[in-house]
């Protein structure tokens, strides 16, 4: 770095952001068309997605390269940390909106609806519920189940094991972090590998759970407000686990390639933070969606 | 492109379109934001002109009711998300590094992305006007079930909001990181210029509220297309639930619009009073208090939805409380001017005008907070008058004042003071003629969001429309003045104003492309 | 850099702008429909009276504070100009002053909160009513069901399209006329149940001080008790789609005898 810039690393002009936005634009446009039954929609989405994939690989690759070449000092590192920290805060608030919806529907809306007798005769304040007109929704996509019926997923079966898996993965990623800080490369790779495996297992189990819900339980996105909150919360969480797992896999790959040093490995830490966040959300989900 | 070639390229930065498209320089990005914002201001303003033309006289003249609703909705979305918020992010980009002695923003590449998310988002929003079914027409608050009924334009609007939201979140993360991590040695937090403080707190509000909006509109989208029943009572959901989530975002949002303008005024008034800002510490705490309170007052937008009595009382009291920290600010500004040595250049006129007009809007806000009375005011032009006073009188005047204040630093030229004063007076007169009569209309019973009205509202509506046309035309003076200043004009000194204090006035005018490569030391 | 305010020029500019607007306004004042109404419609229920009084109370408090604060500011703008006093004082805080101007507003706010709370509690009390009417909002008309009398009808805009499209002269109650009025007896406590069938509407009659959202799937309650016979007009107050501006409300308040006769007439049809 030249002295002119001081010690803070200031990147040269970059084309990645503009390309990212174009990709996102295509993705959004395609998504809109898909939702409104325009057959070209998916093609736009695929194009946008490919652009995004390309950018992610290149942009992150560039940053990783700069980091490996030692261009970042501790102040740059701190900027990255703050960036990641506040990003996670914003993610927390995103989930808060859905948790808020869950609490509101369950504690307020459903009881109130059951009180308006003259509009919804016979509707009772129970949870889970498909709502006052529930039967009309259920059965549309779930054929196996008798009309008006659906079952929710008990907490102590598969969801419980998923909780165990995710909590364990939080521990394994921490062990991997210790190993990195101690300089045990092999130990690092093994424990990080286990974490990625646990994440994938979680996703696999979650997918079977969804399939079970849709084909056998009659529980779908359309199953009244219960189905809506259930799938929205677990779905967005699942999406985050997917992103987290992919990120950890990339980090694993970089570890194998020999990236990171004992005291300079922010990318690893960022991925770990994200993973802990995803875990914490799951604990909230387990308690409020499944147990209570 | 890579760091190895960096050394040769420092002083002659890239030119042409790629300079702007690929830039990582906070000044370039600030400029981009400001021009984007002004463009949106014109687009949103022209929509307001359509609204005011239709309301010039009773009867349907120019547009059909559905299109009118689209205009109302898109006018508000364009103005808030396209004009007002980006204007202040642009100011933040230009000024925060200069004011805290940083070489640039903390995360320059992210900074570029935050900006370049906006043009595609705006494209989606504007494009919605041209798709079958037209733009969103359910008001900027997009309440279901009405917004569930809309055509694919609503989806355009939702996705546009998502992108603008990402832009705001990324922009605010950057601002927080810059302020927390990039300050020059000795620039402790309690020495930060007020503009920087207000932005720090605003950025915090953005990071916490925008995701909630994202959640709300995501649920709207799934209710529209994926069979969920969040806002549908027949599935156990509740349309009012959307309103709660929306306003949990929406109320902090209005302080997002006003706090940076408070910051600007807190820079301008001391400068032209030649006297330090009165009560700096209490200003900081007042800003933080406003931000905190803004999270617990949201349901004052929903007093008529039929909340339980205790809820209405809680939200009434908490809303009224906001008057306290706000009053601290007003009194501090007046005390700053007190026994100063005042001059009235254009920025100062804007600052004074802002304090004056914002307070009118603040008082009508307080009236709206009184639940029994709000039952009458709600969803009438009284509300429209309230928020244009705080938004146009507060936010927009603040932004315009900021441009006059810092333009000499950005361009190296003085703007034309005569044109500036014309612009100020015409704007202030136009704005009052437009929005003051709307108080009367609302009290007399005219609902908002209607394309046509009963005869007893005819007079004030015509006055209001005339004022609006004047207000719109006056902005041309601003455009001319800015363009002239960029082209040339009297050279500005480094300090620009006699009463200037702060780091931004120690660098040359125009501020060089790279500033504070070696951090200054603040005593 | 400093420039002195060219007051003459500015003043001329101001005059130049205000004059044409004043003229335009003036021509209106003489036209047939000129109303220039500045304030609430005449209140005719206990609720509307309380709202009116509260509204005026808060308004005048705000005006007083406004005059005080900006009186001081404009005095300062005038007396502390640079052309008058070249040197600024240098104080930058005063704990005493700041405490005072935090405490006084708190007291004023408490003074506002007490009557508001009392009023609100009174408004929310829908018990002990004499009759109940269910009001349902539709895109774009209202439905009225007299639950005690078995009367049930819809009420929609009656203003002809030709007036809206400027092909016919506009009548006095342009946009505020419906085919079937809501008929209510005076001096009775009437409970109104408000709901909607499609999207959110809001039932609002300013003179009654009654406004409540009509929300599909839920039922809201308000009450009203009209003091004087007369016809009171209102409008839907929540954006409900393209004809939101075209779903007015007309209430006929009649004596108890007239009301009974009307009920008789309706039920016998
Ligand atoms: C910049 C944006 C902005 C700002 C700053 C504010 C500020 C305030 N607003 Fe406003 N508001 C809006 C933008 C804003 N608002 C918008 C856009 C809407 C409509 C949204 C929609 O429906 O589309 C709205 C609507 C709105 C409503 C809902 C009305 C309705 O729909 O029925 C209410 C109700 O309480 C309200 C209250 C307030 C209050 C109490 C303040 C306070 O912050 C004001 C505080 C200031 C003062 C009080 C003046 C200064 C104080 C003194 C000089 C001290 C002494 C004073 C006393 C002791 C009284 N606002
Ligand atoms: C930042 C926010 C902001 C700003 C700046 C404005 C600015 C203006 N607004 Fe708006 N407005 C809102 C936010 C804002 N508004 C919101 C949130 C709503 C509620 C929407 C809803 O109900 O859902 C609303 C609603 C609203 C209504 C009510 C509509 C209805 O209920 O049906 C009206 C009516 O008069 C109105 C008018 C105006 C006018 C005349 C201006 C003027 O100040 C505009 C002046 C500016 C210009 C006119 C542009 C200047 C430029 C030119 C004229 C061109 C020069 C050209 C070249 C150089 C090429 N606005
Ligand atoms: Cu019905 Cu507006
Ligand atoms: Cu608010």
């Amino acid at each position: 770095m030249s002295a002119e810039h001081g010690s803070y690393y200031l990147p040269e002009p970059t084309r990645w952001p503009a390309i990212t936005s174009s990709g996102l634009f295509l993705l959004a446009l395609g998504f809109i068309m898909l939702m409104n039954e325009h057959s070209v929609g998916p093609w736009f989405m695929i194009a946008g997605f490919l652009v995004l994939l390309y950018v992610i690989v290149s942009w992150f690759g560039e940053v990783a390269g700069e980091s490996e070449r030692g261009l970042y000092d501790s102040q740059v590192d701190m900027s990255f940390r703050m960036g990641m920290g506040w990003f996670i805060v914003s993610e927390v608030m995103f989930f808060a909106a859905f948790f808020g919806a869950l609490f509101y529907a369950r504690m307020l809306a459903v009881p109130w609806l059951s009180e308006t007798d003259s509009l919804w005769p016979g509707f009772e304040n129970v949870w889970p519920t498909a709502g006052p007109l529930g039967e009309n929704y259920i059965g549309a996509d779930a054929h196996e189940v008798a009309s008006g019926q659906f079952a929710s997923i008990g907490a102590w079966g598969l969801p419980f094991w998923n909780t165990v898996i995710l909590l364990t993965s939080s521990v394994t990623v921490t062990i991997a972090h210790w190993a990195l800080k101690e300089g045990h490369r092999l130990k690092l790779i093994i424990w990080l590998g286990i974490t990625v495996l646990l994440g994938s297992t979680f996703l696999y189990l979650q997918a079977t759970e969804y399939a079970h819900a849709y084909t056998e339980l009659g529980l779908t996105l359309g199953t009244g407000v219960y189905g809506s909150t259930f799938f929205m919360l677990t779905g967005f969480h699942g999406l985050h686990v997917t992103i987290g797992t992919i990120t950890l896999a990339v980090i694993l790959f970089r570890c194998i390639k020999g990236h990171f040093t004992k005291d300079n490995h922010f990318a690893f830490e960022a991925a770990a933070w994200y993973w802990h966040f995803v875990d914490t959300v799951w604990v909230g989900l387990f308690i409020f969606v499944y147990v209570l | 492109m890579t760091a190895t070639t960096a050394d040769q390229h420092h002083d002659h930065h890239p030119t042409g379109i790629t300079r702007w498209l690929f830039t990582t320089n906070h000044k370039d990005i600030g400029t981009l934001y400001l021009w984007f914002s002004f463009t949106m201001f014109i687009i949103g303003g022209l929509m307001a002109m359509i609204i005011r033309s239709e309301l010039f006289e009773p009867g349907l003249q120019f547009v059909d009711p559905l299109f009118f609703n689209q205009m109302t909705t898109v006018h508000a979305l364009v103005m808030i998300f396209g004009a007002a918020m980006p204007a202040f992010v642009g100011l933040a980009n230009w000024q925060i590094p200069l004011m805290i002695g940083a070489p640039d923003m903390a995360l320059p590449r992210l900074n570029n992305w935050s900006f370049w998310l906006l043009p595609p988002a705006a494209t989606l929003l504007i494009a919605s006007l041209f798709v079958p079914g037209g733009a969103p027409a359910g008001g900027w608050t997009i309440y279901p079930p009405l917004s569930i009924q809309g055509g694919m334009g609503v989806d355009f609007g939702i996705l546009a909001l998502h992108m603008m939201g990402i832009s705001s979140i990324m922009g605010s993360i950057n601002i927080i990181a810059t302020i927390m991590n990039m300050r020059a040695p000795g620039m402790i937090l309690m020495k930060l210029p007020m503009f920087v403080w207000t932005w720090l707190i605003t950025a915090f509000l953005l990071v916490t509220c925008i995701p909630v909006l994202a959640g709300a509109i995501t649920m709207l989208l799934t209710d529209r297309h994926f069979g969920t029943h969040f806002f549908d009572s027949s599935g156990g959901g509740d349309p009012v639930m959307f309103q709660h989530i929306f306003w949990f975002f929406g109320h902090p949002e209005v302080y997002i619009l006003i706090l940076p303008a408070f910051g600007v005024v807190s820079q301008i008034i001391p400068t032209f009073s030649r006297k330090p800002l009165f009560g700096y510490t209490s200003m900081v705490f007042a800003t933080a208090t406003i931000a905190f309170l803004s999270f617990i007052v949201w349901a004052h937008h929903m007093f008529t939805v039929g909340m339980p009595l205790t809820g209405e009382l809680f939200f009434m009291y908490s809303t009224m409380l906001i008057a306290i920290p706000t009053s601290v600010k007003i009194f501090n500004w007046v005390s700053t001017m007190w026994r100063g040595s005042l001059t009235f250049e254009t920025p100062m006129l804007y600052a004074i005008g802002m304090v004056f007009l914002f307070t009118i809007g603040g008082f009508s806000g307080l009236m709206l907070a009184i639940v029994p009375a709000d039952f009458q005011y709600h969803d009438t032009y009284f509300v429209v008058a309230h928020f244009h006073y705080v938004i146009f009188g507060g936010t927009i005047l603040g932004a315009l004042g900021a441009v006059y204040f810092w333009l000499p630093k950005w361009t190296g030229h003085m703007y034309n003071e005569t044109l500036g004063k014309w612009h100020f007076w015409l704007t202030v007169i136009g704005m009052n003629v437009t929005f003051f009569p709307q108080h009367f209309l609302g009290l007399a019973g005219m609902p908002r969001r209607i394309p046509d009205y009963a005869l007893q509202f005819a007079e004030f509506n015509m006055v209001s429309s005339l004022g609006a046309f004047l207000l719109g035309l006056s902005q041309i003076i601003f455009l001319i003045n800015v363009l002239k200043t960029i082209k040339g004009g009297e050279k500005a000194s480094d300090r620009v104003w006699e009463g200037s204090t702060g780091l931004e006035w120690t660098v040359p005018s125009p501020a060089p492309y790279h500033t504070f490569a070696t951090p200054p030391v603040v005593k | 850099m400093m420039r002195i305010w060219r007051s003459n020029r500015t003043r001329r500019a101001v005059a130049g702008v205000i004059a044409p607007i004043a003229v335009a306004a003036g021509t209106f004042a003489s036209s047939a429909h000129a109303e220039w109404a500045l304030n609430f419609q005449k209140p005719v229920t206990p609720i509307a009276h309380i709202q009116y009084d509260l509204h005026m109370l808060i308004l005048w408090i705000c005006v007083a504070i406004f005059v005080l604060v900006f009186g001081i500011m404009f005095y300062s703008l005038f007396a502390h100009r640079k052309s008058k006093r070249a040197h600024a004082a240098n104080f930058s805080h005063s704990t005493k002053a700041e405490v005072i101007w935090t405490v006084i507003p708190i007291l004023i706010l408490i003074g506002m909160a007490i009557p508001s709370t009392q009023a609100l509690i009174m408004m929310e009390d829908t018990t002990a009513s004499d009759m109940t009417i269910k009001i349902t909002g539709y895109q774009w008309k209202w439905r009225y069901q007299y639950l005690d009398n078995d009367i049930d009808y819809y009420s929609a805009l009656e203003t002809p399209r030709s007036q809206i499209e400027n092909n016919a002269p506009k009548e006095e109650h342009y946009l505020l006329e419906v085919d079937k009025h809501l008929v209510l007896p005076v001096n009775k406590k009437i409970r109104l149940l408000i709901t909607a069938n499609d999207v959110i509407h809001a039932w609002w009659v300013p003179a009654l001080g009654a406004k409540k959202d009509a929300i599909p799937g839920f039922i809201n309650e308000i009450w009203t008790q009209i003091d004087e016979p007369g016809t009171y007009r209102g409008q839907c107050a929540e954006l409900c789609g393209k004809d939101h501006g075209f779903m007015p409300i007309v209430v006929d308040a009649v004596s108890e005898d007239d009301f009974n006769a009307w009920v008789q007439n309706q039920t016998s049809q």
Side-chain angles (χ1 to χ4, degrees):
Chain A
M1 281 318 304
S2 83
E4 234 178 312
H5 274 160
S7 54
Y8 199 83
Y9 176 74
L10 292 179
E12 287 298 300
T14 166
R15 68 190 134 179
W16 305 126
I19 303 179
T20 315
S21 294
S22 330
L24 217 53
F25 182 72
L26 287 178
L27 197 63
L29 204 61
F31 189 45
I32 295 169
M33 290 195 276
L34 175 76
M35 286 186 297
N36 290 281
E37 271 116 39
H38 288 274
S39 52
V40 284
W43 295 107
F44 272 80
M45 286 184 78
I46 291 171
F49 187 74
L50 289 178
V51 173
L52 284 184
L53 206 65
Y54 165 68
V55 184
I56 288 172
V57 172
S58 327
W59 188 348
F60 279 79
E62 190 172 309
V63 174
E66 287 169 7
S67 170
E68 286 305 305
R69 272 182 288 140
L71 294 177
Y72 298 161
D73 61 5
S74 61
Q75 199 186 3
V76 177
D77 195 60
M78 186 46 99
S79 294
F80 283 149
R81 280 166 199 277
M82 287 181 173
M84 190 65 197
W86 286 100
F87 173 67
I88 290 178
V89 169
S90 79
E91 289 269 41
V92 169
M93 293 308 289
F94 183 67
F95 275 98
F98 297 112
F99 275 108
L102 171 68
F103 298 148
Y104 187 94
R106 185 168 174 180
M107 319 283 285
L108 299 172
V110 171
W112 284 339
L113 281 169
S114 68
E115 281 163 21
T116 39
D117 265 352
S118 62
L119 292 179
W120 313 110
F123 176 61
E124 278 174 50
N125 172 19
V126 288
W127 191 264
T129 178
L133 280 191
E135 308 85 43
N136 296 348
Y137 301 125
I138 309 170
D141 14 13
H143 326 277
E144 341 270 305
V145 183
S147 155
Q149 301 282 311
F150 76 94
S152 60
I153 293 174
W156 302 108
L158 203 143
F160 171 74
W161 291 112
N162 260 345
T163 312
V164 173
I165 289 173
L166 270 198
L167 287 181
T168 317
S169 75
S170 245
V171 175
T172 55
V173 81
T174 308
I175 297 178
H177 191 199
W178 287 339
L180 176 54
K181 283 204 281 198
E182 287 159 10
H184 289 306
R185 192 52 55 163
L186 185 64
K187 196 171 152 200
L188 160 69
I189 292 170
I190 291 175
W191 285 103
L192 193 54
I194 295 177
T195 313
V196 173
L197 265 178
L198 287 171
S200 316
T201 316
F202 173 91
L203 284 173
Y204 171 76
L205 292 179
Q206 190 75 350
T208 43
E209 186 191 78
Y210 273 16
H212 177 59
Y214 259 78
T215 53
E216 284 152 44
L217 300 179
L219 176 60
T220 72
L221 256 182
T223 315
V225 73
Y226 177 80
S228 307
T229 51
F230 175 82
F231 280 104
M232 205 67 140
L233 277 162
T234 54
F236 268 109
H237 177 263
L239 182 69
H240 282 74
V241 178
T242 314
I243 297 171
T245 309
I246 295 175
T247 315
L248 285 176
V250 172
I251 299 290
L252 176 64
F253 176 70
R254 285 183 63 187
C255 289
I256 296 171
K257 268 183 70 177
H259 284 195
F260 306 126
T261 63
K262 269 189 207 177
D263 32 36
N264 185 6
H265 49 258
F266 172 65
F268 180 97
E269 286 174 296
W273 290 357
Y274 193 77
W275 195 249
H276 290 310
F277 150 71
V278 167
D279 260 9
T280 316
V281 172
W282 176 262
V283 174
L285 278 180
F286 183 64
I287 295 172
F288 292 112
V289 176
Y290 291 100
V291 177
L292 294 180
Chain B
M1 200 94 336
T2 56
T4 36
T5 59
D7 298 1
Q8 291 99 302
H9 284 289
H10 276 322
D11 288 66
H12 28 106
H13 41 265
T15 49
I17 177 84
T18 51
R19 159 172 178 192
W20 301 105
L21 208 51
F22 298 160
T23 183
T24 46
N25 180 286
H26 72 104
K27 301 186 181 81
D28 281 353
I29 296 176
T31 307
L32 284 170
Y33 264 111
L34 290 172
W35 278 115
F36 174 82
S37 154
F38 189 69
T39 314
M40 288 290 125
F41 183 62
I42 290 177
I43 296 177
L46 290 176
M47 291 176 182
M49 296 300 109
I50 296 177
I51 295 173
R52 285 311 331 166
S53 306
E54 182 55 58
L55 295 176
F56 188 72
E57 276 180 325
L60 291 180
Q61 271 74 239
F62 305 105
V63 298
D64 65 275
L66 188 65
F67 187 75
F68 182 89
N69 292 347
Q70 298 176 14
M71 283 294 110
T72 300
T73 308
V74 183
H75 156 68
L77 292 174
V78 164
M79 282 298 198
I80 290 182
F81 294 94
M85 291 164 70
F88 282 100
V89 183
L91 291 170
N93 258 294
W94 254 103
Q95 289 309 127
I96 288 177
L98 288 181
M99 293 172 106
I100 64 173
D104 206 302
M105 297 292 280
L107 303 159
R109 274 182 287 232
L110 188 69
N111 201 15
N112 174 300
W113 190 40
S114 306
F115 174 76
W116 281 108
L117 273 165
L118 287 179
T123 310
L124 284 181
L125 186 57
I126 308 285
S128 71
L129 281 162
F130 303 100
V131 301
W140 81 284
T141 48
I142 41 175
Y143 284 0
L146 185 59
S147 55
I148 308 271
Q149 289 183 347
M152 76 188 279
V154 180
D155 302 324
F156 273 82
I158 289 176
L159 271 283
L161 279 181
H162 269 305
M163 286 178 79
M164 297 193 188
I166 301 175
S167 161
S168 294
I169 293 171
M170 295 303 147
S172 348
I173 288 176
N174 215 336
I175 287 170
I176 298 179
T178 307
I179 298 173
M180 297 310 287
N181 193 34
M182 304 286 285
R183 299 191 307 275
M187 178 67 83
I188 55 170
L189 283 178
M190 287 316 273
K191 274 191 188 160
L192 284 181
M194 261 326 278
F195 178 69
V196 181
W197 254 118
T198 52
W199 243 120
L200 180 63
I201 292 167
T202 304
F204 170 75
L205 286 179
L206 279 163
V207 171
T208 42
C209 304
I210 300 278
V212 176
L213 172 69
I217 57 181
T218 304
M219 289 184 247
L220 203 60
L221 201 68
T222 57
D223 264 19
R224 280 170 58 79
H225 292 292
F226 300 98
T228 57
H229 302 100
F230 288 106
F231 311 127
D232 175 358
S233 50
S234 49
D238 185 348
V240 173
M241 180 164 98
F242 177 86
Q243 302 185 16
H244 281 289
I245 305 175
F246 179 87
W247 288 115
F248 183 86
F249 143 81
H251 189 81
E253 168 69 20
V254 309
Y255 294 106
I256 289 165
L257 293 173
I258 203 67
L259 291 182
F262 285 171
V264 165
V265 168
S266 306
Q267 300 297 135
I268 295 179
I269 289 183
T271 306
F272 297 96
S273 306
R274 296 168 178 73
K275 193 163 156 281
L277 181 68
F278 185 89
Y280 175 88
T281 318
S282 60
M283 280 300 219
V284 172
F285 282 104
T287 314
T289 311
I290 294 178
F292 167 75
L293 287 174
S294 75
F295 281 109
I296 53 165
V297 303
W298 74 87
H300 65 215
H301 295 272
M302 310 164 49
F303 284 143
T304 63
V305 300
M307 266 183 290
L309 176 66
T310 42
E312 302 205 309
L313 288 175
F314 172 80
F315 287 109
M316 172 167 81
Y317 300 149
S318 59
T319 305
M320 292 172 77
L321 272 183
I322 295 196
I324 307 288
T326 319
S327 73
V328 169
K329 293 189 152 270
I330 307 271
F331 298 149
N332 282 355
W333 289 324
V334 173
S335 310
T336 306
M337 291 185 250
W338 188 255
R339 292 178 53 213
S341 170
L342 303 168
T343 51
F344 302 97
E345 289 84 350
T346 309
M348 183 63 163
L349 290 181
Y350 271 100
I352 296 170
M354 188 277 190
V355 175
F356 186 83
L357 296 172
F358 169 79
T359 306
I360 298 181
F363 280 133
S364 59
L366 193 68
M367 294 171 75
L368 291 167
I370 307 295
V371 185
D374 182 67
F375 288 162
Q376 287 286 24
Y377 310 137
H378 177 68
D379 265 329
T380 67
Y381 262 79
F382 191 81
V383 178
V384 178
H386 156 67
F387 67 72
H388 282 95
Y389 264 87
V390 278
I391 289 188
F392 200 94
T395 308
I396 302 292
L397 289 200
L400 292 172
V403 170
Y404 284 108
F405 188 50
W406 283 311
L407 196 61
K409 177 57 63 190
W410 302 337
T411 62
H413 304 293
M414 287 308 289
Y415 59 84
N416 181 319
E417 193 65 58
T418 314
L419 281 183
K421 294 217 162 93
W422 270 94
H423 175 221
F424 171 76
W425 286 107
L426 291 179
T427 302
V428 163
I429 292 166
M431 121 107 216
N432 280 288
V433 175
T434 311
F435 298 117
F436 207 80
Q438 296 185 354
H439 290 114
F440 304 136
L441 287 171
L443 295 180
M446 177 166 164
R448 52 191 287 210
R449 298 164 165 175
I450 56 174
D452 192 7
Y453 47 83
L455 298 180
Q456 70 260 37
F457 307 125
E459 294 78 22
F460 280 128
N461 265 303
M462 189 174 282
V463 175
S464 176
S465 293
L466 287 173
F469 302 147
L470 172 68
L471 178 58
L473 288 178
S474 327
Q475 305 318 311
I476 297 177
I477 306 180
F478 175 67
L479 183 65
I480 294 174
N481 205 355
V482 170
L483 290 177
K484 275 179 64 153
T485 314
I486 294 174
K487 279 243 185 75
E490 193 190 322
K491 281 262 166 284
S493 66
D494 292 358
R495 279 178 59 87
V496 181
W497 314 109
E498 191 184 73
S500 310
T501 47
L503 288 176
E504 80 258 46
W505 309 110
T506 62
V507 302
S509 303
Y513 202 58
H514 293 289
T515 34
F516 297 125
T518 21
V521 177
V522 182
K523 305 150 288 320
Chain C
M1 214 62 52
M2 301 297 121
R3 295 193 181 175
I4 292 146
W5 188 5
R6 295 198 200 77
S7 48
N8 279 337
R9 189 183 294 189
T10 317
R11 222 173 286 142
R12 248 180 288 128
V14 174
V17 172
I18 291 188
I21 295 171
V23 171
T27 38
F28 253 110
S30 55
S31 84
H33 286 293
E35 299 227 359
W36 302 102
L38 300 179
N39 209 340
F40 282 167
Q41 298 174 17
K42 186 168 165 288
V44 297
T45 63
I47 288 182
H49 274 289
I50 286 210
Q51 287 173 331
Y52 189 89
D53 295 343
L54 203 54
H55 157 69
M56 292 314 282
L57 173 75
I58 310 285
L59 175 66
W60 287 119
I61 295 178
C62 288
V63 169
I65 303 175
F66 191 83
V67 169
L68 188 75
V69 174
F70 287 97
I72 295 174
M73 189 185 85
F74 280 112
Y75 171 77
S76 172
L77 294 187
F78 175 76
H80 305 149
R81 282 172 293 163
K82 193 184 178 200
S83 49
K84 280 200 146 184
R85 28 181 308 147
H87 289 288
N90 203 25
F91 61 88
S92 69
H93 56 269
S94 154
T95 312
K96 193 156 93 196
E98 295 189 52
V99 170
I100 293 176
W101 69 47
T102 312
V103 172
I104 293 182
I106 293 181
L107 296 178
I108 298 176
L109 290 177
I110 294 175
M112 293 175 171
I114 292 170
S116 312
T117 308
Q118 287 165 341
L120 191 62
I121 290 172
M122 173 275 226
M123 290 177 178
E124 297 284 311
D125 178 15
T126 51
T127 54
S129 60
D130 301 310
M131 60 185 280
T132 302
I133 296 173
K134 184 173 159 199
I135 302 174
T136 311
Y138 291 77
Q139 281 171 320
W140 291 273
K141 55 184 179 287
W142 293 99
R143 178 184 186 184
Y144 300 113
Q145 285 163 286
Y146 291 68
L147 296 185
D148 318 86
N149 304 91
D150 210 29
I151 299 174
D152 179 351
Y153 60 89
Y154 293 86
S155 165
L157 178 76
E158 213 190 29
T159 304
R161 280 297 321 160
S162 57
Q163 292 187 20
I164 296 174
E165 282 156 9
N166 309 309
N167 299 324
K170 298 181 174 37
E171 292 156 344
E172 188 191 354
H173 296 299
Y174 176 67
L175 292 190
L176 294 180
E177 196 52 87
V178 294
D179 48 6
K180 287 198 80 180
H181 297 189
L182 174 67
V183 180
L184 297 178
V186 292
N187 298 324
K188 290 265 184 226
K189 185 167 182 179
I190 304 161
R191 182 163 151 254
L192 304 172
L193 301 180
I194 299 179
T195 185
N197 192 52
D198 33 44
V199 301
I200 304 178
H201 305 261
W203 195 83
W204 178 37
V205 180
L208 309 192
K211 182 188 286 155
K212 206 67 158 190
D213 287 4
I215 297 164
F218 295 82
I219 295 180
N220 275 326
E221 274 183 50
I222 51 174
W223 66 274
T224 190
Q225 181 170 340
I226 306 172
D227 306 332
E228 309 167 22
T231 304
Y232 307 108
R233 291 164 201 275
Q235 282 177 269
C236 175
E238 179 65 57
L239 179 57
C240 53
K242 105 176 145 37
D243 283 350
H244 159 62
F246 305 93
M247 53 183 292
I249 296 149
V250 182
V251 176
D252 277 341
V254 298
S255 70
E256 203 178 338
D257 292 344
D258 288 352
F259 178 73
N260 289 334
W262 178 81
V263 169
Q264 209 63 47
N265 185 318
Q266 292 293 309
T267 35
S268 64
Q269 268 173 8

